[in-house]
Amino acid sequence: MKTASGLSVIRNGQLVDGTGSPPVPDAAVVIQDGVIRYAGPAATMPADLAARLDNPADANSPDAPCREIDARGGTIMPGLVEAHFHATYFNVAALEDLDIKYPVEYVTLLAAANAKLALECGYTAARSGGSLFNIDGWLKKAIENGIVPGPRMAASGREICGVGGLMDWNPDYRKIGMEGLVLLINGPDEARAAVRKLVKDGVEWVKTYPTGDAAAPDVNDHHTLCMTFDEMHAVVATAHNHGLKVTGHCRATEGIKNALRAGYDTLEHGTFVDDEALEMIIERDVPVVPALYFEKASIDRGPEIGMPQKVIDGHKETLDGGAESALRILKAGGRLGMGGDYGFAWNPHGDYAKELSFFVNYVGFSPLDTIRCATKTGAEIMGRGRELGTLEPGKLADVLVVEGDVVEDISILEDRRRFIAVMQGGAVKAGQLTQPAENGAARRRELAEQAR
Ligand SMILES: [Zn+2]
């Protein structure tokens, strides 16, 4: 991935560093060769750095002049991390479309477009929540090699589910299986075989389906189990042996406990958490990614797309349970990642930051807690907490420079036109600063009109 060389400084904005600490007014962030050297009050910047900024010719790399980014009184914060990203879900109108509508070649191109969009939306990193074929692994490589723009990725592969479970929705008479999306298993031996396929594919995360979902109310609803404990344990033992991590779609209480006992590294959704499950989550410090905006969007937009009432009712129960569990986990000191399961017609790519507003306005998280979940915890889930996720010296300069006060109004992050700069390793990859001058001028006129 192309990162910046030389010295640059971002000034004239408040710093929200991603740790959950209160904002620092009138801050400065100094970046050298793509890495943060200083993040704090502009007034207390170390004298040697301040001198070099004033006189960049004295810098170690004199051929790279100091670049100055003006935050225009807005916010300087870490790049966001989508902790449940489906680059290959192409805004499908029906679940069945995922596996059969397009060939892998076209889905790959769509996934690249989704990755570019995510970066433009301020998401500088993403952990995959499951992928069609082995597209994520190659998408990650293309992003790292600078072939296509996108978030730094942690790749998943095809998802593992028990035969007859949530993801095995094609009846046998169709004779089409679920080749691109799911590895279907019966028993621990087949679970091991499925993980071994993924090991060969080179993915980092194994996504499984321990439970059902409101989307399948008849035989695989949100209180149904779709894998046995023995299957889940076989997945974890095999994955961990090869250095892969395991996560799973966990709604039903017993499925959550099975996942925790089997040694899962994270839980997706963690919807119906009881006292015992909460205790295990906290004791084992297992991060949970609730991904609730999918539920909200299903309830709001379900009727217009003909979603059966039974399904919408199930999503309502899921949303209430998921919101309550997320709040309990936060209050107990647990870790939560932000990701919204985007990639459906009613919950499309580009809406990622709606998850953040939802957690503030509906679930009751503070904006600073929400931002910490969406940055620091996201990076930790990816296994890159030492490199990414906060604006602190020594971290990679994945930075957002945003118009306005995101602590006062977190919904600002939903509007990508308000990003002055989206940076990866100190290089500006998206935002107003990358747009042609005429676009920038148009945006300034628009802002001037709004201010009137
Ligand atoms: Zn998902």
Side-chain angles (χ1 to χ4, degrees):
M1 177 175 289
K2 192 175 178 299
T3 54
S5 58
L7 200 63
S8 56
V9 60
I10 310 166
R11 284 196 255 233
N12 187 23
Q14 66 168 347
L15 171 70
V16 174
D17 68 6
T19 65
S21 303
V24 176
D26 196 12
V29 173
V30 181
I31 300 161
Q32 183 167 27
D33 298 333
V35 177
I36 296 169
R37 282 288 309 276
Y38 175 79
T44 57
M45 191 189 301
D48 63 318
L49 268 185
R52 286 176 58 189
L53 291 173
D54 289 341
N55 190 4
D58 288 345
N60 287 340
S61 33
D63 52 343
C66 173
R67 175 160 198 201
E68 178 131 4
I69 293 176
D70 181 357
R72 292 186 233 138
T75 304
I76 309 165
M77 61 179 283
L80 297 165
V81 182
E82 235 293 337
H84 188 118
F85 185 51
H86 291 294
T88 59
Y89 288 16
F90 45 89
N91 298 344
V92 291
L95 289 178
E96 298 92 282
D97 287 351
L98 276 176
D99 198 34
I100 56 172
K101 191 169 181 186
Y102 297 129
V104 59
E105 294 85 350
Y106 192 58
V107 178
T108 305
L109 294 168
L110 294 172
N114 291 333
K116 176 171 181 280
L117 177 60
L119 182 64
E120 289 168 357
C121 290
Y123 284 79
T124 53
R127 193 273 303 243
S128 170
S131 168
L132 278 155
F133 298 95
N134 191 25
I135 293 172
D136 273 1
W138 291 97
L139 178 62
K140 173 184 167 156
K141 194 178 175 70
I143 291 169
E144 284 180 354
N145 289 340
I147 295 164
V148 295
R152 302 177 192 273
M153 278 188 58
S156 297
R158 284 173 287 176
E159 308 170 25
I160 296 176
C161 184
V163 171
L166 178 66
M167 302 301 278
D168 189 12
W169 54 62
N170 285 324
D172 286 350
Y173 63 77
R174 287 187 189 160
K175 301 185 181 68
I176 52 178
M178 292 296 303
E179 187 207 347
L181 182 59
V182 197
L183 300 168
L184 294 167
I185 58 146
N186 257 325
D189 281 347
E190 290 186 15
R192 273 186 282 274
V195 176
R196 285 170 176 161
K197 267 197 177 77
L198 295 170
V199 169
K200 282 179 55 167
D201 281 349
V203 305
E204 298 155 88
W205 281 88
V206 177
K207 166 75 181 294
T208 64
Y209 279 83
T211 77
D213 193 276
D218 296 326
V219 288
N220 281 302
D221 82 352
H222 41 299
H223 297 298
T224 308
L225 303 182
C226 298
M227 291 173 71
T228 66
F229 174 81
D230 288 344
E231 289 165 344
M232 294 163 68
H233 189 261
V235 166
V236 171
T238 312
H240 284 181
N241 176 59
H242 293 286
L244 275 59
K245 291 185 193 166
V246 180
T247 192
H249 175 98
C250 298
R251 300 224 182 266
T253 309
E254 204 50 38
I256 293 171
K257 291 181 191 176
N258 281 343
L260 290 160
R261 292 186 187 117
Y264 274 45
D265 298 284
T266 60
L267 302 179
E268 306 310 297
H269 313 306
T271 306
F272 302 107
V273 167
D274 67 3
D275 290 347
E276 189 190 10
L278 180 64
E279 206 170 290
M280 280 195 275
I281 287 169
I282 300 303
E283 195 184 310
R284 298 170 190 211
D285 195 22
V286 175
V288 178
V289 183
L292 291 177
Y293 201 79
F294 176 85
E295 307 305 316
K296 171 84 167 101
S298 301
I299 295 161
D300 289 352
R301 303 192 54 197
E304 80 194 55
I305 58 163
M307 208 177 264
Q309 192 56 44
K310 196 156 55 163
V311 171
I312 295 173
D313 290 346
H315 283 306
K316 181 89 182 76
E317 189 194 345
T318 301
L319 183 65
D320 292 346
E324 188 189 331
S325 294
L327 201 54
R328 288 183 76 200
I329 293 166
L330 181 82
K331 285 186 173 161
R335 291 187 292 161
L336 294 136
M338 289 286 140
D341 238 336
Y342 296 91
F344 300 88
W346 61 96
N347 192 38
H349 283 279
D351 279 2
Y352 315 107
K354 285 190 174 175
E355 182 82 3
L356 277 54
S357 302
F358 181 77
F359 265 83
V360 172
N361 299 328
Y362 184 99
V363 186
F365 280 33
S366 74
L368 286 172
D369 278 338
T370 305
I371 290 169
R372 176 169 49 89
C373 294
T375 55
K376 181 173 188 282
T377 311
E380 288 167 359
I381 288 170
M382 291 179 72
R384 301 185 70 174
R386 283 160 182 255
E387 300 168 84
L388 311 169
T390 62
L391 299 188
E392 294 174 296
K395 295 252 173 119
L396 290 170
D398 287 7
V399 185
L400 302 184
V401 185
V402 194
E403 289 174 353
D405 182 349
V406 302
V407 180
E408 162 95 8
D409 179 6
I410 199 158
S411 74
I412 286 172
L413 293 170
E414 292 178 28
D415 183 1
R416 60 193 156 115
R417 293 175 313 162
R418 299 190 68 149
F419 293 121
I420 296 166
V422 177
M423 305 167 82
Q424 285 174 314
V428 180
K429 300 289 183 71
Q432 296 163 16
L433 293 180
T434 60
Q435 288 159 9
E438 183 39 42
N439 285 0
R443 177 66 181 146
R444 279 192 294 280
R445 279 196 297 276
E446 194 182 331
L447 286 170
E449 259 160 46
Q450 273 173 17
R452 244 177 249 146

Coordinates of all heavy atoms in Angstrom, one line a residue, residues 124-160:
T124 N -10.8 3.0 6.8 CA -9.5 2.8 6.4 C -9.1 1.3 6.6 O -8.0 0.9 6.2 CB -8.5 3.7 7.0 OG1 -8.7 3.6 8.5 CG2 -8.7 5.2 6.6
A125 N -9.9 0.6 7.4 CA -9.6 -0.8 7.6 C -10.9 -1.6 7.8 O -12.0 -1.0 8.1 CB -8.7 -1.0 8.8
A126 N -10.9 -2.9 7.5 CA -12.1 -3.7 7.6 C -11.8 -5.1 7.8 O -10.9 -5.7 7.3 CB -13.0 -3.6 6.3
R127 N -12.6 -5.7 8.7 CA -12.5 -7.2 9.0 C -13.7 -7.8 8.3 O -14.8 -7.5 8.5 CB -12.5 -7.4 10.5 CG -12.1 -8.8 10.9 CD -13.2 -9.8 10.9 NE -14.3 -9.4 11.7 CZ -14.8 -10.1 12.8 NH1 -14.2 -11.2 13.1 NH2 -15.8 -9.7 13.5
S128 N -13.4 -8.8 7.4 CA -14.5 -9.4 6.7 C -15.3 -10.3 7.6 O -14.8 -11.0 8.4 CB -13.9 -10.3 5.5 OG -14.9 -11.0 4.9
G129 N -16.6 -10.3 7.3 CA -17.6 -11.1 8.0 C -18.0 -12.3 7.1 O -19.1 -12.9 7.3
G130 N -17.2 -12.6 6.1 CA -17.5 -13.7 5.2 C -17.5 -13.3 3.7 O -17.9 -12.1 3.4
S131 N -17.1 -14.2 2.8 CA -16.8 -13.8 1.5 C -17.3 -14.8 0.5 O -17.3 -16.0 0.8 CB -15.3 -13.6 1.3 OG -15.0 -13.5 -0.1
L132 N -17.8 -14.4 -0.7 CA -18.1 -15.3 -1.7 C -16.7 -15.8 -2.3 O -15.8 -15.1 -2.5 CB -18.9 -14.7 -2.8 CG -20.4 -14.6 -2.6 CD1 -21.0 -13.4 -3.3 CD2 -21.1 -15.9 -3.0
F133 N -16.7 -17.1 -2.6 CA -15.5 -17.7 -3.2 C -14.3 -17.3 -2.3 O -14.4 -17.2 -1.1 CB -15.3 -17.4 -4.7 CG -16.4 -17.9 -5.5 CD1 -17.5 -17.1 -5.9 CD2 -16.4 -19.2 -6.0 CE1 -18.6 -17.6 -6.6 CE2 -17.5 -19.7 -6.7 CZ -18.5 -18.9 -7.1
N134 N -13.2 -17.0 -2.9 CA -12.0 -16.6 -2.2 C -11.7 -15.2 -2.6 O -10.5 -14.8 -2.7 CB -10.8 -17.5 -2.4 CG -9.7 -17.3 -1.4 OD1 -10.0 -16.7 -0.3 ND2 -8.5 -17.6 -1.7
I135 N -12.7 -14.4 -2.8 CA -12.5 -13.0 -3.3 C -11.8 -12.1 -2.3 O -10.9 -11.4 -2.7 CB -13.8 -12.4 -3.8 CG1 -14.4 -13.2 -5.0 CG2 -13.7 -10.9 -4.1 CD1 -15.8 -12.8 -5.4
D136 N -12.2 -12.2 -1.0 CA -11.6 -11.3 0.0 C -10.0 -11.4 0.0 O -9.4 -10.3 0.1 CB -12.1 -11.7 1.4 CG -13.4 -11.0 1.7 OD1 -13.9 -10.2 0.8 OD2 -13.9 -11.2 2.8
G137 N -9.5 -12.6 0.0 CA -8.1 -12.8 0.1 C -7.4 -12.0 -1.1 O -6.3 -11.4 -0.8
W138 N -7.9 -12.2 -2.3 CA -7.3 -11.5 -3.4 C -7.6 -10.0 -3.5 O -6.7 -9.2 -3.9 CB -7.7 -12.2 -4.7 CG -7.2 -13.6 -4.8 CD1 -7.8 -14.8 -4.4 CD2 -5.8 -14.0 -5.1 NE1 -6.9 -15.8 -4.5 CE2 -5.7 -15.4 -5.0 CE3 -4.7 -13.2 -5.6 CZ2 -4.5 -16.0 -5.2 CZ3 -3.5 -13.9 -5.8 CH2 -3.5 -15.3 -5.7
L139 N -8.7 -9.6 -3.0 CA -9.0 -8.2 -2.9 C -8.0 -7.5 -1.9 O -7.5 -6.5 -2.2 CB -10.5 -8.0 -2.4 CG -11.0 -6.6 -2.2 CD1 -10.9 -5.8 -3.5 CD2 -12.4 -6.6 -1.6
K140 N -7.8 -8.2 -0.8 CA -6.9 -7.7 0.2 C -5.5 -7.5 -0.5 O -4.8 -6.5 -0.3 CB -6.7 -8.7 1.4 CG -5.7 -8.3 2.3 CD -5.5 -9.3 3.4 CE -4.2 -9.0 4.2 NZ -4.1 -9.5 5.5
K141 N -5.1 -8.5 -1.2 CA -3.8 -8.4 -1.9 C -3.7 -7.2 -2.9 O -2.7 -6.5 -2.9 CB -3.5 -9.7 -2.6 CG -2.1 -10.0 -3.1 CD -2.0 -11.3 -3.8 CE -0.6 -11.6 -4.4 NZ 0.4 -11.8 -3.4
A142 N -4.8 -7.1 -3.6 CA -4.9 -6.0 -4.6 C -4.8 -4.6 -3.9 O -4.2 -3.7 -4.4 CB -6.1 -6.1 -5.5
I143 N -5.5 -4.5 -2.8 CA -5.5 -3.2 -2.0 C -4.1 -3.0 -1.5 O -3.5 -1.9 -1.6 CB -6.5 -3.3 -0.9 CG1 -7.9 -3.3 -1.5 CG2 -6.3 -2.1 0.1 CD1 -9.0 -3.6 -0.5
E144 N -3.5 -4.0 -0.9 CA -2.1 -3.8 -0.4 C -1.1 -3.5 -1.4 O -0.1 -2.8 -1.2 CB -1.7 -5.1 0.4 CG -2.4 -5.2 1.8 CD -2.0 -6.4 2.6 OE1 -1.3 -7.2 2.1 OE2 -2.5 -6.4 3.7
N145 N -1.3 -4.0 -2.7 CA -0.4 -3.7 -3.7 C -0.7 -2.5 -4.5 O -0.1 -2.1 -5.5 CB -0.3 -4.9 -4.7 CG 0.4 -6.1 -4.1 OD1 1.2 -6.0 -3.1 ND2 0.2 -7.3 -4.6
G146 N -1.7 -1.7 -4.0 CA -2.1 -0.5 -4.6 C -2.7 -0.6 -6.0 O -2.8 0.4 -6.7
I147 N -3.3 -1.8 -6.3 CA -4.0 -2.0 -7.6 C -5.4 -1.4 -7.5 O -5.8 -0.8 -8.5 CB -4.0 -3.5 -7.9 CG1 -2.6 -4.0 -8.1 CG2 -4.9 -3.7 -9.2 CD1 -2.4 -5.5 -8.1
V148 N -6.1 -1.5 -6.4 CA -7.4 -0.9 -6.2 C -7.3 -0.2 -4.8 O -6.7 -0.7 -3.9 CB -8.6 -1.9 -6.3 CG1 -8.7 -2.5 -7.7 CG2 -8.4 -3.0 -5.3
P149 N -8.1 0.9 -4.7 CA -8.2 1.5 -3.4 C -9.1 0.8 -2.5 O -10.1 0.2 -3.0 CB -8.7 2.9 -3.7 CG -9.4 2.8 -5.0 CD -8.8 1.7 -5.7
G150 N -8.9 0.8 -1.2 CA -9.8 0.1 -0.3 C -9.3 0.1 1.1 O -8.1 0.6 1.4
P151 N -10.0 -0.4 2.1 CA -9.6 -0.5 3.5 C -8.5 -1.5 3.6 O -8.4 -2.5 2.8 CB -10.8 -0.9 4.2 CG -12.0 -0.9 3.3 CD -11.4 -0.9 1.9
R152 N -7.6 -1.4 4.6 CA -6.7 -2.5 4.9 C -7.6 -3.6 5.4 O -8.5 -3.4 6.2 CB -5.8 -2.1 6.1 CG -5.0 -0.9 5.9 CD -4.2 -0.6 7.2 NE -3.6 0.7 7.1 CZ -2.4 0.9 6.6 NH1 -1.7 0.0 6.1 NH2 -1.9 2.2 6.6
M153 N -7.4 -4.8 4.8 CA -8.4 -5.9 5.1 C -7.9 -7.0 5.9 O -6.7 -7.4 5.8 CB -9.0 -6.4 3.8 CG -10.1 -5.5 3.3 SD -11.0 -6.2 1.8 CE -11.6 -7.7 2.5
A154 N -8.8 -7.6 6.7 CA -8.6 -9.0 7.3 C -9.6 -9.8 6.6 O -10.8 -9.6 6.6 CB -8.8 -9.0 8.8
A155 N -9.1 -10.9 5.9 CA -9.9 -11.6 4.9 C -10.6 -12.8 5.6 O -10.0 -13.5 6.4 CB -9.1 -12.1 3.7
S156 N -11.8 -13.0 5.2 CA -12.5 -14.3 5.5 C -12.7 -15.0 4.1 O -12.5 -14.4 3.1 CB -13.9 -14.1 6.1 OG -13.8 -13.4 7.3
G157 N -13.2 -16.2 4.2 CA -13.5 -17.0 3.0 C -15.0 -17.4 3.0 O -15.8 -16.8 3.6
R158 N -15.2 -18.5 2.3 CA -16.6 -19.1 2.3 C -16.9 -19.4 3.8 O -16.1 -19.8 4.6 CB -16.6 -20.3 1.4 CG -16.6 -19.9 -0.1 CD -16.5 -21.1 -1.0 NE -15.1 -21.7 -0.9 CZ -14.7 -22.7 -1.6 NH1 -15.6 -23.4 -2.3 NH2 -13.5 -23.1 -1.5
E159 N -18.2 -19.3 4.1 CA -18.7 -19.4 5.4 C -19.1 -20.9 5.7 O -19.6 -21.6 4.8 CB -19.8 -18.4 5.6 CG -19.4 -17.0 5.2 CD -20.5 -16.0 5.1 OE1 -21.5 -16.2 5.8 OE2 -20.4 -15.0 4.3
I160 N -18.9 -21.3 6.9 CA -19.2 -22.7 7.3 C -20.5 -22.8 8.0 O -20.8 -22.1 9.0 CB -18.1 -23.3 8.2 CG1 -16.7 -23.4 7.4 CG2 -18.4 -24.7 8.7 CD1 -15.5 -23.8 8.2

